[in-house]
Amino acid sequence: MPTGRGKYLIDQEITAQEYEETLNWFYDQREKSPLQLKATCAPHYYRILRQRAREEGQRVTFQSHGLDAVTRGCLGGVGFCFISHRGIVQPCGFLQVESGDVTRESFAEIWRGSKVFLTLRNFQELKGKCGECEYRRVCGGCRARAFEATGDMMAEEPLCSYQPGGGGEGQGEVP
């Protein structure tokens, strides 16, 4: 993740194609491992999961895909957040955008009313190909990568090789 100390490793970042190949490999491991695998900070996996399941004639349900069927890619500001030791609230540890301060207002007020969080929860505000993508509700792209690459947390995900309109109609919903 090219944020924080990771910014200095940007020259070692994998390509979008390598990322896609890695997530497809990860999907293949589901049936090979007795462990329940969880993709973390890999929002594209939830698109790939639905694409691959569709190709295999499967419907993504809790019974067939476990927790992967009921979660989504980027949860920053949507399903979790980060609170620093000083009380500063951010969408996640990688997306260093101040969303509130628990030493000045309640966490509940921040969680429910932060402009940053409300923006992240409105998938219609996603820009570029993320905004057009039929998988935006289950993927959403990495908002931290978008922010680091462009200065706009709602910009398109820079490490995604997928082109919207790939036939995922009806597959982009989280139950």
Side-chain angles (χ1 to χ4, degrees), residues 50-108:
R50 282 162 177 79
Q51 287 175 310
R52 296 280 304 273
R54 186 177 193 180
E55 289 168 8
E56 296 165 3
Q58 295 181 355
R59 184 155 165 66
V60 177
T61 66
F62 184 75
Q63 292 73 27
S64 64
H65 291 82
L67 294 175
D68 285 344
V70 294
T71 190
R72 71 179 304 272
C74 185
L75 291 170
V78 176
F80 74 84
C81 66
F82 173 85
I83 304 174
S84 78
H85 68 284
R86 295 176 307 153
I88 303 302
V89 182
Q90 302 172 188
C92 79
F94 297 119
L95 181 51
Q96 297 174 357
V97 175
E98 190 170 327
S99 306
D101 183 339
V102 295
T103 67
R104 296 185 184 170
E105 61 185 311
S106 76
F107 176 73

Side-chain angles (χ1 to χ4, degrees), residues 100-117:
D101 183 339
V102 295
T103 67
R104 296 185 184 170
E105 61 185 311
S106 76
F107 176 73
E109 290 173 317
I110 296 167
W111 183 253
R112 290 187 198 120
S114 163
K115 185 176 187 310
V116 171
F117 290 171

Side-chain angles (χ1 to χ4, degrees), residues 161-172:
S161 61
Y162 181 70
Q163 293 302 313
E169 300 83 8
Q171 294 287 312

